[in-house]
PDB file of all heavy atoms in Angstrom:
ATOM      1  N   ALA A 230     -31.150 -71.573-104.331  1.00  0.00           N
ATOM      2  CA  ALA A 230     -30.168 -72.577-104.770  1.00  0.00           C
ATOM      3  C   ALA A 230     -30.368 -72.920-106.237  1.00  0.00           C
ATOM      4  O   ALA A 230     -29.385 -73.087-106.990  1.00  0.00           O
ATOM      5  CB  ALA A 230     -30.291 -73.835-103.902  1.00  0.00           C
ATOM      6  N   ARG A 231     -31.611 -73.006-106.669  1.00  0.00           N
ATOM      7  CA  ARG A 231     -31.875 -73.280-108.087  1.00  0.00           C
ATOM      8  C   ARG A 231     -31.359 -72.140-108.959  1.00  0.00           C
ATOM      9  O   ARG A 231     -30.771 -72.372-110.027  1.00  0.00           O
ATOM     10  CB  ARG A 231     -33.375 -73.484-108.304  1.00  0.00           C
ATOM     11  CG  ARG A 231     -33.900 -74.810-107.760  1.00  0.00           C
ATOM     12  CD  ARG A 231     -35.401 -74.939-107.866  1.00  0.00           C
ATOM     13  NE  ARG A 231     -35.851 -76.222-107.309  1.00  0.00           N
ATOM     14  CZ  ARG A 231     -36.885 -76.356-106.495  1.00  0.00           C
ATOM     15  NH1 ARG A 231     -37.608 -75.294-106.146  1.00  0.00           N
ATOM     16  NH2 ARG A 231     -37.220 -77.550-106.042  1.00  0.00           N
ATOM     17  N   ALA A 232     -31.578 -70.902-108.506  1.00  0.00           N
ATOM     18  CA  ALA A 232     -31.086 -69.755-109.279  1.00  0.00           C
ATOM     19  C   ALA A 232     -29.571 -69.803-109.426  1.00  0.00           C
ATOM     20  O   ALA A 232     -29.020 -69.464-110.481  1.00  0.00           O
ATOM     21  CB  ALA A 232     -31.520 -68.454-108.600  1.00  0.00           C
ATOM     22  N   LEU A 233     -28.904 -70.264-108.374  1.00  0.00           N
ATOM     23  CA  LEU A 233     -27.438 -70.324-108.401  1.00  0.00           C
ATOM     24  C   LEU A 233     -26.945 -71.451-109.298  1.00  0.00           C
ATOM     25  O   LEU A 233     -26.014 -71.269-110.104  1.00  0.00           O
ATOM     26  CB  LEU A 233     -26.925 -70.513-106.972  1.00  0.00           C
ATOM     27  CG  LEU A 233     -25.445 -70.251-106.699  1.00  0.00           C
ATOM     28  CD1 LEU A 233     -25.060 -68.823-107.054  1.00  0.00           C
ATOM     29  CD2 LEU A 233     -25.137 -70.536-105.225  1.00  0.00           C
ATOM     30  N   LEU A 234     -27.565 -72.613-109.214  1.00  0.00           N
ATOM     31  CA  LEU A 234     -27.075 -73.778-109.960  1.00  0.00           C
ATOM     32  C   LEU A 234     -27.598 -73.841-111.387  1.00  0.00           C
ATOM     33  O   LEU A 234     -27.097 -74.634-112.193  1.00  0.00           O
ATOM     34  CB  LEU A 234     -27.446 -75.064-109.218  1.00  0.00           C
ATOM     35  CG  LEU A 234     -26.833 -75.234-107.819  1.00  0.00           C
ATOM     36  CD1 LEU A 234     -27.140 -76.615-107.260  1.00  0.00           C
ATOM     37  CD2 LEU A 234     -25.326 -74.997-107.833  1.00  0.00           C
ATOM     38  N   ASP A 235     -28.588 -73.009-111.723  1.00  0.00           N
ATOM     39  CA  ASP A 235     -29.095 -72.978-113.102  1.00  0.00           C
ATOM     40  C   ASP A 235     -28.329 -71.999-113.989  1.00  0.00           C
ATOM     41  O   ASP A 235     -28.600 -71.902-115.191  1.00  0.00           O
ATOM     42  CB  ASP A 235     -30.586 -72.614-113.117  1.00  0.00           C
ATOM     43  CG  ASP A 235     -31.458 -73.794-112.698  1.00  0.00           C
ATOM     44  OD1 ASP A 235     -30.948 -74.931-112.657  1.00  0.00           O
ATOM     45  OD2 ASP A 235     -32.645 -73.571-112.386  1.00  0.00           O
ATOM     46  N   ARG A 236     -27.400 -71.270-113.422  1.00  0.00           N
ATOM     47  CA  ARG A 236     -26.604 -70.347-114.226  1.00  0.00           C
ATOM     48  C   ARG A 236     -25.761 -71.111-115.241  1.00  0.00           C
ATOM     49  O   ARG A 236     -25.227 -72.184-114.928  1.00  0.00           O
ATOM     50  CB  ARG A 236     -25.663 -69.540-113.320  1.00  0.00           C
ATOM     51  CG  ARG A 236     -26.332 -68.618-112.333  1.00  0.00           C
ATOM     52  CD  ARG A 236     -25.307 -68.043-111.356  1.00  0.00           C
ATOM     53  NE  ARG A 236     -24.232 -67.355-112.042  1.00  0.00           N
ATOM     54  CZ  ARG A 236     -23.846 -66.105-111.770  1.00  0.00           C
ATOM     55  NH1 ARG A 236     -24.473 -65.412-110.845  1.00  0.00           N
ATOM     56  NH2 ARG A 236     -22.860 -65.558-112.418  1.00  0.00           N
ATOM     57  N   PRO A 237     -25.605 -70.568-116.445  1.00  0.00           N
ATOM     58  CA  PRO A 237     -24.716 -71.232-117.412  1.00  0.00           C
ATOM     59  C   PRO A 237     -23.273 -71.260-116.933  1.00  0.00           C
ATOM     60  O   PRO A 237     -22.502 -72.138-117.334  1.00  0.00           O
ATOM     61  CB  PRO A 237     -24.873 -70.378-118.680  1.00  0.00           C
ATOM     62  CG  PRO A 237     -25.426 -69.079-118.212  1.00  0.00           C
ATOM     63  CD  PRO A 237     -26.259 -69.367-117.011  1.00  0.00           C
ATOM     64  N   ASP A 238     -22.927 -70.297-116.083  1.00  0.00           N
ATOM     65  CA  ASP A 238     -21.579 -70.277-115.502  1.00  0.00           C
ATOM     66  C   ASP A 238     -21.662 -70.600-114.005  1.00  0.00           C
ATOM     67  O   ASP A 238     -21.051 -69.937-113.177  1.00  0.00           O
ATOM     68  CB  ASP A 238     -20.929 -68.906-115.716  1.00  0.00           C
ATOM     69  CG  ASP A 238     -21.752 -67.777-115.092  1.00  0.00           C
ATOM     70  OD1 ASP A 238     -22.946 -68.008-114.741  1.00  0.00           O
ATOM     71  OD2 ASP A 238     -21.221 -66.664-114.933  1.00  0.00           O
ATOM     72  N   ARG A 239     -22.418 -71.616-113.695  1.00  0.00           N
ATOM     73  CA  ARG A 239     -22.668 -71.933-112.289  1.00  0.00           C
ATOM     74  C   ARG A 239     -21.357 -72.129-111.520  1.00  0.00           C
ATOM     75  O   ARG A 239     -20.323 -72.520-112.100  1.00  0.00           O
ATOM     76  CB  ARG A 239     -23.530 -73.192-112.182  1.00  0.00           C
ATOM     77  CG  ARG A 239     -22.820 -74.466-112.632  1.00  0.00           C
ATOM     78  CD  ARG A 239     -23.594 -75.705-112.189  1.00  0.00           C
ATOM     79  NE  ARG A 239     -22.948 -76.921-112.677  1.00  0.00           N
ATOM     80  CZ  ARG A 239     -21.913 -77.500-112.086  1.00  0.00           C
ATOM     81  NH1 ARG A 239     -21.392 -76.961-111.006  1.00  0.00           N
ATOM     82  NH2 ARG A 239     -21.387 -78.595-112.602  1.00  0.00           N
ATOM     83  N   PRO A 240     -21.409 -71.884-110.220  1.00  0.00           N
ATOM     84  CA  PRO A 240     -20.203 -72.089-109.404  1.00  0.00           C
ATOM     85  C   PRO A 240     -19.862 -73.573-109.284  1.00  0.00           C
ATOM     86  O   PRO A 240     -20.732 -74.442-109.434  1.00  0.00           O
ATOM     87  CB  PRO A 240     -20.612 -71.511-108.043  1.00  0.00           C
ATOM     88  CG  PRO A 240     -22.095 -71.589-108.022  1.00  0.00           C
ATOM     89  CD  PRO A 240     -22.545 -71.373-109.436  1.00  0.00           C
ATOM     90  N   THR A 241     -18.613 -73.838-109.008  1.00  0.00           N
ATOM     91  CA  THR A 241     -18.183 -75.226-108.797  1.00  0.00           C
ATOM     92  C   THR A 241     -18.301 -75.614-107.330  1.00  0.00           C
ATOM     93  O   THR A 241     -18.112 -76.786-106.977  1.00  0.00           O
ATOM     94  CB  THR A 241     -16.722 -75.413-109.241  1.00  0.00           C
ATOM     95  OG1 THR A 241     -15.879 -74.557-108.461  1.00  0.00           O
ATOM     96  CG2 THR A 241     -16.567 -75.092-110.714  1.00  0.00           C
ATOM     97  N   ALA A 242     -18.570 -74.640-106.475  1.00  0.00           N
ATOM     98  CA  ALA A 242     -18.702 -74.910-105.040  1.00  0.00           C
ATOM     99  C   ALA A 242     -19.671 -73.898-104.444  1.00  0.00           C
ATOM    100  O   ALA A 242     -19.821 -72.789-104.960  1.00  0.00           O
ATOM    101  CB  ALA A 242     -17.347 -74.828-104.343  1.00  0.00           C
ATOM    102  N   VAL A 243     -20.307 -74.296-103.342  1.00  0.00           N
ATOM    103  CA  VAL A 243     -21.250 -73.418-102.655  1.00  0.00           C
ATOM    104  C   VAL A 243     -20.980 -73.480-101.157  1.00  0.00           C
ATOM    105  O   VAL A 243     -20.888 -74.567-100.570  1.00  0.00           O
ATOM    106  CB  VAL A 243     -22.719 -73.811-102.927  1.00  0.00           C
ATOM    107  CG1 VAL A 243     -23.667 -72.865-102.179  1.00  0.00           C
ATOM    108  CG2 VAL A 243     -23.010 -73.793-104.414  1.00  0.00           C
ATOM    109  N   PHE A 244     -20.849 -72.312-100.562  1.00  0.00           N
ATOM    110  CA  PHE A 244     -20.771 -72.180 -99.107  1.00  0.00           C
ATOM    111  C   PHE A 244     -22.138 -71.732 -98.619  1.00  0.00           C
ATOM    112  O   PHE A 244     -22.732 -70.814 -99.194  1.00  0.00           O
ATOM    113  CB  PHE A 244     -19.695 -71.161 -98.720  1.00  0.00           C
ATOM    114  CG  PHE A 244     -19.736 -70.743 -97.269  1.00  0.00           C
ATOM    115  CD1 PHE A 244     -19.742 -71.686 -96.253  1.00  0.00           C
ATOM    116  CD2 PHE A 244     -19.755 -69.396 -96.920  1.00  0.00           C
ATOM    117  CE1 PHE A 244     -19.781 -71.299 -94.914  1.00  0.00           C
ATOM    118  CE2 PHE A 244     -19.784 -69.005 -95.594  1.00  0.00           C
ATOM    119  CZ  PHE A 244     -19.793 -69.953 -94.587  1.00  0.00           C
ATOM    120  N   CYS A 245     -22.652 -72.368 -97.573  1.00  0.00           N
ATOM    121  CA  CYS A 245     -24.007 -72.092 -97.093  1.00  0.00           C
ATOM    122  C   CYS A 245     -23.977 -71.518 -95.679  1.00  0.00           C
ATOM    123  O   CYS A 245     -23.195 -71.963 -94.828  1.00  0.00           O
ATOM    124  CB  CYS A 245     -24.855 -73.359 -97.103  1.00  0.00           C
ATOM    125  SG  CYS A 245     -25.052 -74.075 -98.753  1.00  0.00           S
ATOM    126  N   PHE A 246     -24.856 -70.569 -95.446  1.00  0.00           N
ATOM    127  CA  PHE A 246     -24.972 -69.922 -94.138  1.00  0.00           C
ATOM    128  C   PHE A 246     -25.238 -70.938 -93.040  1.00  0.00           C
ATOM    129  O   PHE A 246     -24.788 -70.773 -91.905  1.00  0.00           O
ATOM    130  CB  PHE A 246     -26.101 -68.889 -94.187  1.00  0.00           C
ATOM    131  CG  PHE A 246     -26.375 -68.216 -92.878  1.00  0.00           C
ATOM    132  CD1 PHE A 246     -25.674 -67.087 -92.491  1.00  0.00           C
ATOM    133  CD2 PHE A 246     -27.357 -68.706 -92.023  1.00  0.00           C
ATOM    134  CE1 PHE A 246     -25.929 -66.465 -91.268  1.00  0.00           C
ATOM    135  CE2 PHE A 246     -27.622 -68.100 -90.806  1.00  0.00           C
ATOM    136  CZ  PHE A 246     -26.912 -66.975 -90.434  1.00  0.00           C
ATOM    137  N   GLY A 247     -25.978 -71.983 -93.342  1.00  0.00           N
ATOM    138  CA  GLY A 247     -26.295 -73.005 -92.345  1.00  0.00           C
ATOM    139  C   GLY A 247     -26.450 -74.363 -92.983  1.00  0.00           C
ATOM    140  O   GLY A 247     -26.583 -74.498 -94.207  1.00  0.00           O
ATOM    141  N   ASP A 248     -26.450 -75.398 -92.150  1.00  0.00           N
ATOM    142  CA  ASP A 248     -26.521 -76.763 -92.658  1.00  0.00           C
ATOM    143  C   ASP A 248     -27.860 -77.066 -93.319  1.00  0.00           C
ATOM    144  O   ASP A 248     -27.932 -77.853 -94.274  1.00  0.00           O
ATOM    145  CB  ASP A 248     -26.282 -77.756 -91.514  1.00  0.00           C
ATOM    146  CG  ASP A 248     -24.847 -77.722 -91.008  1.00  0.00           C
ATOM    147  OD1 ASP A 248     -23.992 -77.121 -91.693  1.00  0.00           O
ATOM    148  OD2 ASP A 248     -24.581 -78.288 -89.932  1.00  0.00           O
ATOM    149  N   ARG A 249     -28.948 -76.473 -92.836  1.00  0.00           N
ATOM    150  CA  ARG A 249     -30.240 -76.716 -93.473  1.00  0.00           C
ATOM    151  C   ARG A 249     -30.267 -76.118 -94.882  1.00  0.00           C
ATOM    152  O   ARG A 249     -30.908 -76.660 -95.789  1.00  0.00           O
ATOM    153  CB  ARG A 249     -31.371 -76.133 -92.614  1.00  0.00           C
ATOM    154  CG  ARG A 249     -31.599 -76.906 -91.315  1.00  0.00           C
ATOM    155  CD  ARG A 249     -32.783 -76.366 -90.552  1.00  0.00           C
ATOM    156  NE  ARG A 249     -32.561 -74.997 -90.106  1.00  0.00           N
ATOM    157  CZ  ARG A 249     -33.529 -74.163 -89.727  1.00  0.00           C
ATOM    158  NH1 ARG A 249     -34.797 -74.550 -89.772  1.00  0.00           N
ATOM    159  NH2 ARG A 249     -33.245 -72.955 -89.307  1.00  0.00           N
ATOM    160  N   MET A 250     -29.563 -75.021 -95.072  1.00  0.00           N
ATOM    161  CA  MET A 250     -29.454 -74.445 -96.414  1.00  0.00           C
ATOM    162  C   MET A 250     -28.605 -75.352 -97.299  1.00  0.00           C
ATOM    163  O   MET A 250     -28.890 -75.529 -98.489  1.00  0.00           O
ATOM    164  CB  MET A 250     -28.871 -73.038 -96.334  1.00  0.00           C
ATOM    165  CG  MET A 250     -29.699 -72.084 -95.463  1.00  0.00           C
ATOM    166  SD  MET A 250     -29.073 -70.392 -95.442  1.00  0.00           S
ATOM    167  CE  MET A 250     -29.763 -69.752 -96.972  1.00  0.00           C
ATOM    168  N   ALA A 251     -27.564 -75.926 -96.715  1.00  0.00           N
ATOM    169  CA  ALA A 251     -26.749 -76.886 -97.481  1.00  0.00           C
ATOM    170  C   ALA A 251     -27.589 -78.098 -97.877  1.00  0.00           C
ATOM    171  O   ALA A 251     -27.426 -78.649 -98.970  1.00  0.00           O
ATOM    172  CB  ALA A 251     -25.544 -77.320 -96.646  1.00  0.00           C
ATOM    173  N   ASN A 252     -28.505 -78.490 -97.009  1.00  0.00           N
ATOM    174  CA  ASN A 252     -29.415 -79.589 -97.323  1.00  0.00           C
ATOM    175  C   ASN A 252     -30.216 -79.267 -98.586  1.00  0.00           C
ATOM    176  O   ASN A 252     -30.410 -80.127 -99.456  1.00  0.00           O
ATOM    177  CB  ASN A 252     -30.348 -79.823 -96.135  1.00  0.00           C
ATOM    178  CG  ASN A 252     -31.231 -81.046 -96.300  1.00  0.00           C
ATOM    179  OD1 ASN A 252     -30.859 -82.009 -96.965  1.00  0.00           O
ATOM    180  ND2 ASN A 252     -32.408 -81.010 -95.695  1.00  0.00           N
ATOM    181  N   ALA A 253     -30.656 -78.009 -98.720  1.00  0.00           N
ATOM    182  CA  ALA A 253     -31.390 -77.592 -99.916  1.00  0.00           C
ATOM    183  C   ALA A 253     -30.505 -77.673-101.154  1.00  0.00           C
ATOM    184  O   ALA A 253     -30.961 -78.084-102.235  1.00  0.00           O
ATOM    185  CB  ALA A 253     -31.917 -76.169 -99.737  1.00  0.00           C
ATOM    186  N   VAL A 254     -29.240 -77.277-101.026  1.00  0.00           N
ATOM    187  CA  VAL A 254     -28.325 -77.343-102.165  1.00  0.00           C
ATOM    188  C   VAL A 254     -28.140 -78.794-102.605  1.00  0.00           C
ATOM    189  O   VAL A 254     -28.090 -79.095-103.801  1.00  0.00           O
ATOM    190  CB  VAL A 254     -26.975 -76.685-101.808  1.00  0.00           C
ATOM    191  CG1 VAL A 254     -25.952 -76.902-102.930  1.00  0.00           C
ATOM    192  CG2 VAL A 254     -27.160 -75.186-101.561  1.00  0.00           C
ATOM    193  N   TYR A 255     -28.051 -79.719-101.665  1.00  0.00           N
ATOM    194  CA  TYR A 255     -27.970 -81.147-102.008  1.00  0.00           C
ATOM    195  C   TYR A 255     -29.186 -81.559-102.835  1.00  0.00           C
ATOM    196  O   TYR A 255     -29.060 -82.262-103.848  1.00  0.00           O
ATOM    197  CB  TYR A 255     -27.920 -81.989-100.729  1.00  0.00           C
ATOM    198  CG  TYR A 255     -26.544 -82.307-100.199  1.00  0.00           C
ATOM    199  CD1 TYR A 255     -25.676 -81.307 -99.764  1.00  0.00           C
ATOM    200  CD2 TYR A 255     -26.103 -83.627-100.090  1.00  0.00           C
ATOM    201  CE1 TYR A 255     -24.433 -81.592 -99.227  1.00  0.00           C
ATOM    202  CE2 TYR A 255     -24.858 -83.938 -99.568  1.00  0.00           C
ATOM    203  CZ  TYR A 255     -24.024 -82.920 -99.139  1.00  0.00           C
ATOM    204  OH  TYR A 255     -22.782 -83.230 -98.624  1.00  0.00           O
ATOM    205  N   HIS A 256     -30.379 -81.147-102.394  1.00  0.00           N
ATOM    206  CA  HIS A 256     -31.611 -81.528-103.098  1.00  0.00           C
ATOM    207  C   HIS A 256     -31.621 -80.964-104.527  1.00  0.00           C
ATOM    208  O   HIS A 256     -31.972 -81.659-105.486  1.00  0.00           O
ATOM    209  CB  HIS A 256     -32.833 -81.032-102.330  1.00  0.00           C
ATOM    210  CG  HIS A 256     -33.208 -81.895-101.160  1.00  0.00           C
ATOM    211  ND1 HIS A 256     -33.793 -83.131-101.298  1.00  0.00           N
ATOM    212  CD2 HIS A 256     -33.055 -81.703 -99.831  1.00  0.00           C
ATOM    213  CE1 HIS A 256     -33.995 -83.668-100.098  1.00  0.00           C
ATOM    214  NE2 HIS A 256     -33.554 -82.810 -99.196  1.00  0.00           N
ATOM    215  N   VAL A 257     -31.245 -79.694-104.649  1.00  0.00           N
ATOM    216  CA  VAL A 257     -31.258 -79.068-105.972  1.00  0.00           C
ATOM    217  C   VAL A 257     -30.196 -79.708-106.865  1.00  0.00           C
ATOM    218  O   VAL A 257     -30.419 -79.919-108.069  1.00  0.00           O
ATOM    219  CB  VAL A 257     -31.057 -77.548-105.857  1.00  0.00           C
ATOM    220  CG1 VAL A 257     -30.918 -76.917-107.237  1.00  0.00           C
ATOM    221  CG2 VAL A 257     -32.234 -76.923-105.097  1.00  0.00           C
ATOM    222  N   ALA A 258     -29.032 -80.009-106.301  1.00  0.00           N
ATOM    223  CA  ALA A 258     -27.998 -80.691-107.086  1.00  0.00           C
ATOM    224  C   ALA A 258     -28.528 -82.031-107.602  1.00  0.00           C
ATOM    225  O   ALA A 258     -28.288 -82.403-108.756  1.00  0.00           O
ATOM    226  CB  ALA A 258     -26.750 -80.894-106.233  1.00  0.00           C
ATOM    227  N   HIS A 259     -29.266 -82.744-106.757  1.00  0.00           N
ATOM    228  CA  HIS A 259     -29.855 -84.024-107.183  1.00  0.00           C
ATOM    229  C   HIS A 259     -30.869 -83.797-108.308  1.00  0.00           C
ATOM    230  O   HIS A 259     -30.895 -84.563-109.290  1.00  0.00           O
ATOM    231  CB  HIS A 259     -30.530 -84.701-105.995  1.00  0.00           C
ATOM    232  CG  HIS A 259     -31.215 -85.991-106.340  1.00  0.00           C
ATOM    233  ND1 HIS A 259     -30.524 -87.155-106.586  1.00  0.00           N
ATOM    234  CD2 HIS A 259     -32.533 -86.296-106.501  1.00  0.00           C
ATOM    235  CE1 HIS A 259     -31.374 -88.115-106.874  1.00  0.00           C
ATOM    236  NE2 HIS A 259     -32.600 -87.624-106.840  1.00  0.00           N
ATOM    237  N   GLU A 260     -31.677 -82.755-108.177  1.00  0.00           N
ATOM    238  CA  GLU A 260     -32.620 -82.429-109.249  1.00  0.00           C
ATOM    239  C   GLU A 260     -31.901 -82.215-110.577  1.00  0.00           C
ATOM    240  O   GLU A 260     -32.383 -82.615-111.637  1.00  0.00           O
ATOM    241  CB  GLU A 260     -33.392 -81.152-108.908  1.00  0.00           C
ATOM    242  CG  GLU A 260     -34.383 -81.246-107.766  1.00  0.00           C
ATOM    243  CD  GLU A 260     -34.985 -79.895-107.440  1.00  0.00           C
ATOM    244  OE1 GLU A 260     -34.729 -78.914-108.177  1.00  0.00           O
ATOM    245  OE2 GLU A 260     -35.709 -79.810-106.446  1.00  0.00           O
ATOM    246  N   ARG A 261     -30.768 -81.556-110.508  1.00  0.00           N
ATOM    247  CA  ARG A 261     -30.032 -81.180-111.725  1.00  0.00           C
ATOM    248  C   ARG A 261     -29.077 -82.265-112.195  1.00  0.00           C
ATOM    249  O   ARG A 261     -28.328 -82.063-113.158  1.00  0.00           O
ATOM    250  CB  ARG A 261     -29.238 -79.887-111.492  1.00  0.00           C
ATOM    251  CG  ARG A 261     -30.039 -78.631-111.092  1.00  0.00           C
ATOM    252  CD  ARG A 261     -31.314 -78.499-111.863  1.00  0.00           C
ATOM    253  NE  ARG A 261     -31.963 -77.217-111.649  1.00  0.00           N
ATOM    254  CZ  ARG A 261     -33.196 -77.078-111.198  1.00  0.00           C
ATOM    255  NH1 ARG A 261     -33.901 -78.143-110.849  1.00  0.00           N
ATOM    256  NH2 ARG A 261     -33.763 -75.893-111.110  1.00  0.00           N
ATOM    257  N   GLY A 262     -29.046 -83.381-111.519  1.00  0.00           N
ATOM    258  CA  GLY A 262     -28.151 -84.463-111.922  1.00  0.00           C
ATOM    259  C   GLY A 262     -26.702 -84.178-111.611  1.00  0.00           C
ATOM    260  O   GLY A 262     -25.804 -84.760-112.245  1.00  0.00           O
ATOM    261  N   LEU A 263     -26.435 -83.333-110.639  1.00  0.00           N
ATOM    262  CA  LEU A 263     -25.063 -82.999-110.253  1.00  0.00           C
ATOM    263  C   LEU A 263     -24.634 -83.874-109.088  1.00  0.00           C
ATOM    264  O   LEU A 263     -25.374 -84.040-108.108  1.00  0.00           O
ATOM    265  CB  LEU A 263     -24.963 -81.526-109.854  1.00  0.00           C
ATOM    266  CG  LEU A 263     -25.330 -80.500-110.937  1.00  0.00           C
ATOM    267  CD1 LEU A 263     -25.338 -79.098-110.366  1.00  0.00           C
ATOM    268  CD2 LEU A 263     -24.354 -80.607-112.109  1.00  0.00           C
ATOM    269  N   ARG A 264     -23.439 -84.410-109.179  1.00  0.00           N
ATOM    270  CA  ARG A 264     -22.912 -85.257-108.124  1.00  0.00           C
ATOM    271  C   ARG A 264     -22.118 -84.416-107.129  1.00  0.00           C
ATOM    272  O   ARG A 264     -21.378 -83.507-107.514  1.00  0.00           O
ATOM    273  CB  ARG A 264     -22.010 -86.335-108.718  1.00  0.00           C
ATOM    274  CG  ARG A 264     -22.683 -87.270-109.722  1.00  0.00           C
ATOM    275  CD  ARG A 264     -21.638 -88.037-110.509  1.00  0.00           C
ATOM    276  NE  ARG A 264     -20.730 -87.126-111.208  1.00  0.00           N
ATOM    277  CZ  ARG A 264     -19.549 -87.467-111.709  1.00  0.00           C
ATOM    278  NH1 ARG A 264     -19.115 -88.721-111.590  1.00  0.00           N
ATOM    279  NH2 ARG A 264     -18.802 -86.584-112.345  1.00  0.00           N
TER     280      ARG A 264
END
Side-chain angles (χ1 to χ4, degrees):
R231 287 175 181 135
L233 195 59
L234 297 187
D235 284 346
R236 296 171 56 127
D238 59 345
R239 68 166 177 82
T241 61
V243 180
F244 168 52
C245 299
F246 176 87
D248 291 347
R249 290 184 296 162
M250 302 184 82
N252 186 29
V254 173
Y255 268 63
H256 280 287
V257 174
H259 178 75
E260 291 175 7
R261 301 319 189 237
L263 299 174
R264 300 165 302 163

